[in-house]
Amino acid sequence: MTTDVTIIGAGLGGLTLARVLHVHGIPATVYEAEASPTERSQGGMLDIHDYNGQQALRAAGLMDEFRGIILEGRQAMRILDREGTVRLDQADDGTGGRPEVQRGELRQILLDSLPAGTVRWGHKVSGARRLGEGRHEVTFADGTTTATNLLVGADGAWSRVRRLLSDAVPEYTGTSVVETYLFDAGTRHPAAAKAVGGGAMFALEEGERQIAAHREKGGTLHAYVMLSKPLDWFAGIDFTDAAAASARIAQEFAGWAPELTALITDSDTPPVLRHLYTLPVGHRWDRVPGVILVGDAAHLLPPNGEGANLAMLDGAELGAALAAHPDDVEAALAAYEQALFPRSTAVGEEEAAVVDHPTLEDMVDFFTRGERDEDEQVARAARQRQ
C-alpha cells in the first residue's frame, strides 16, 4: 500500500488502527495534541469486552500484553441504596468476558507496540481542508501543515476532522459527572472502601442522582458523581474552589449514608466536572474520498461501557479493511462504513431504549436480567432433552 495514512488523535481508537496497520506492514503517522503520553491522567477503569474490545486487541496481536494488565476480581459489582444497604452483590465470575484494566496502561501497551516516531506529540489541530482528488491538508495550532492521501479522524467528541464529512454537533445529554479520587482507601477511607467493595459500585435513589465508583489499582477509589442538571446550574459552582464545590455537590445527596457522601467530600483530589454529550443516534455521512472517522468522532454516546471498546474495534476493522484492499482505499473505506454504520446505530438504539432516569429497581433488574435469561436457556435445553 503506497497511500500515506494520517491519524489525528492518539486515543485507543487511533492507536489500535496504527497498530493493526503496522501488523500488516502499512506505516501511519499519528498526530496528538498532548505534549507527551504523560501530560494528563488517562482516566479510570475500562471493562474490555470479549465481543469487541478483545477482538480488536487480538487483531493487534496484543492479547498477551493485555492479559498482563488485567486487575483480577474487578468484575465484581454491587448496587446500594441511599442508606448504604447492599441490594445486589455479584462476584467476579472469572470468565474474563469483561475484565477490568486501567485505561492508561492499555494505552501504553498500544504506544509501546508502535515503531518509534509513529506518534507526533504536541500537534493540536486547528483545521482541515480538502485539496481535491481525495487529498486533505491539516493545519496545526503552531501554523505548520501536513497533506495526506488518507485522513483518519480519531480525535474524539469535538473532532475537527468530522467537519469534512458531517455537520453534526454533539448535544448535551442533560447529565454531568463530577470525578473524585480517594487514595489508599483501605487505610485512609475504610468506610467508603467497604461500601464500594472489590470492584464496581452503583448507589442511587432515583436516576437524577447517582454515585458510581471503581476500586482501582493500589487501593484507589475512583468515583463518578452523576447529576441530571442543566449546564447553567453547574456554571453557578466555582470548581476552582475545591472545598466549596465538593460541599455544593454533596448537598444534592443530603440524607445519604456518610460512607457514600464521603466519596464526594473526602476526595484527595479537586473535583473534576465533565459534561456528557452525544451525537444523534444513527449518525452517518456520505462517502467523501480520502477521509474517515473512528470512535467518538463517528458515534459519540454517553458512557455505557461500550465507547472505548467500539473505538478499538473501529480502529481494528478499518486497519483490516485497508490491508485487504491495498490498491483501492475507497473500496476499503466503503467496506468499513458498511459495518460501522449499522453497528453504531444498533448500540445507540440500545442506549436510547434504556430508561432515562432509572430507579434502584431498574438497575437491579438490568443486572440480573442476564442471569434470568441464562437460567431460562438452561431450563429450555433440559426440557428439549426430555
Side-chain angles (χ1 to χ4, degrees), residues 42-213:
Q42 292 302 309
M45 303 273 285
L46 296 174
D47 51 326
I48 304 301
H49 306 153
D50 52 9
Y51 54 85
N52 46 26
Q54 291 183 44
Q55 289 184 18
L57 287 166
R58 191 167 287 109
L62 295 173
M63 282 299 291
D64 287 343
E65 291 83 352
F66 168 69
R67 293 187 186 100
I69 63 169
I70 289 173
L71 294 175
E72 300 295 339
R74 297 310 200 279
Q75 285 185 229
M77 187 277 302
R78 55 173 45 180
I79 296 174
L80 279 61
D81 61 23
R82 58 176 284 169
E83 285 79 29
T85 302
V86 178
R87 300 289 295 274
L88 179 67
D89 199 353
Q90 293 180 336
D92 187 334
D93 62 11
T95 62
R98 51 179 184 86
E100 298 275 356
V101 300
Q102 299 278 166
R103 178 188 286 267
E105 293 185 357
L106 181 58
R107 188 196 196 203
Q108 193 60 51
I109 283 174
L110 289 162
L111 287 169
D112 291 344
S113 74
L114 298 173
T118 297
V119 180
R120 310 285 177 85
W121 302 97
H123 283 74
K124 181 179 176 61
V125 173
S126 60
R129 67 186 183 96
R130 299 176 187 174
L131 297 176
E133 298 183 351
R135 288 180 58 76
H136 292 82
E137 182 183 75
V138 178
T139 301
F140 300 103
D142 62 3
T144 60
T145 63
T146 188
T148 182
N149 291 319
L150 176 54
L151 177 61
V152 182
D155 47 343
W158 304 101
S159 170
R160 297 276 186 173
V161 178
R162 185 170 58 231
R163 301 174 188 180
L164 297 168
L165 291 168
S166 168
D167 294 329
V169 177
E171 296 181 355
Y172 180 51
T173 64
T175 297
S176 294
V177 174
V178 176
E179 288 188 62
T180 64
Y181 286 88
L182 279 66
F183 301 133
D184 192 17
T187 300
R188 301 179 61 245
H189 309 284
K194 182 178 179 181
V196 172
M201 182 278 293
F202 302 92
L204 67 160
E205 173 186 36
E206 55 190 53
E208 294 184 358
R209 55 180 60 84
Q210 180 181 148
I211 301 175

